[in-house]
């Protein structure tokens, strides 16, 4: 169980470090606009998807960190 938790902790660290890169890579592959000059550009183009997906990945990384923290605290003697 401790080895699995250590593996989950390493995966959590990698996801926390590189998780935001995933939506940015998807944006570049889908040719979404990555340069925004005004609010109108943000609304009329699909650039808002980048911000939304980055925020969702940050929330997922936070949830994963908290899950690992709770699991390690529960196994501690």
């Amino acid at each position: 169980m401790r080895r699995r938790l250590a593996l989950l902790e390493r995966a959590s660290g990698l996801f926390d470090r590189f998780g935001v890169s995933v939506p940015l890579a998807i944006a570049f592959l889908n040719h979404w606009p990555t340069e925004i000059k005004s609010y109108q550009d943000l609304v009329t183009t699909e650039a808002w998807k980048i911000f939304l997906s980055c925020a969702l990945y940050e929330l997922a990384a936070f949830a994963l960190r908290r899950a690992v923290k709770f699991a390690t605290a529960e196994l501690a003697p």
Side-chain angles (χ1 to χ4, degrees), residues 36-64:
I36 301 166
K37 297 177 184 168
S38 67
Y39 180 74
Q40 186 67 26
D41 287 342
L42 177 67
V43 174
T44 57
T45 62
E46 295 184 352
W48 61 270
K49 291 181 181 179
I50 297 170
F51 295 112
L52 179 64
S53 57
C54 285
L56 290 176
Y57 271 77
E58 283 296 320
L59 285 174
F62 174 73
L64 193 55

Side-chain angles (χ1 to χ4, degrees), residues 2-30:
R2 291 190 192 277
R3 272 192 263 154
R4 288 182 182 173
L5 190 57
L7 183 62
L8 181 64
E9 191 172 3
R10 277 191 229 136
S12 170
L14 288 173
F15 186 74
D16 192 26
R17 183 179 292 167
F18 300 112
V20 177
S21 306
V22 173
L24 292 177
I26 291 170
F28 283 120
L29 291 174
N30 286 335

